[in-house]
Amino acid sequence: MNKSELIEHIAKQADISKAAAARALEAVIGGVKTTLKKNGTVSLVGFGTFSVTKRAARSGRNPRTGDTIKIKSAKVPKFRPGKALKDAVN
């Protein structure tokens, strides 16, 4: 399912227009992004938790030349699914 299919699904399930569903989805995604930028977490009970983790600096290899390169540390988003989502998939 891609974004437009998800918007269509939301519009049908909530009995709202596609434009309203698109605005609602953008608001949710924007809220998650804003919270993660501030190193916060977003917990949706039954669905899962979005959080930010820090990946340490490390050395790697350039696959083209074989040279060792330094990869700097980074913050990466992480999603941990909730029990209800895990149960729904299995």
Side-chain angles (χ1 to χ4, degrees), residues 36-66:
L36 293 179
K37 268 187 186 178
K38 296 176 183 174
N39 287 328
T41 61
V42 178
S43 296
L44 303 172
V45 176
F47 184 69
T49 303
F50 296 92
S51 61
V52 177
T53 59
K54 185 153 176 134
R55 187 169 38 204
R58 62 195 192 279
S59 61
R61 233 173 237 288
N62 182 336
R64 188 174 292 162
T65 62

Side-chain angles (χ1 to χ4, degrees), residues 9-90:
H9 179 76
I10 292 169
K12 188 175 180 181
Q13 292 294 313
D15 195 26
I16 57 176
S17 69
K18 284 185 184 179
R23 286 191 306 270
L25 181 60
E26 288 298 328
V28 170
I29 292 170
V32 171
K33 281 182 186 178
T34 302
T35 303
L36 293 179
K37 268 187 186 178
K38 296 176 183 174
N39 287 328
T41 61
V42 178
S43 296
L44 303 172
V45 176
F47 184 69
T49 303
F50 296 92
S51 61
V52 177
T53 59
K54 185 153 176 134
R55 187 169 38 204
R58 62 195 192 279
S59 61
R61 233 173 237 288
N62 182 336
R64 188 174 292 162
T65 62
D67 293 339
T68 300
I69 57 173
K70 291 182 180 178
I71 303 170
K72 55 184 166 180
S73 63
K75 291 192 256 180
V76 292
K78 179 180 164 185
F79 176 73
R80 194 173 73 239
K83 184 176 181 337
L85 181 60
K86 288 180 190 176
D87 291 345
V89 172
N90 290 323

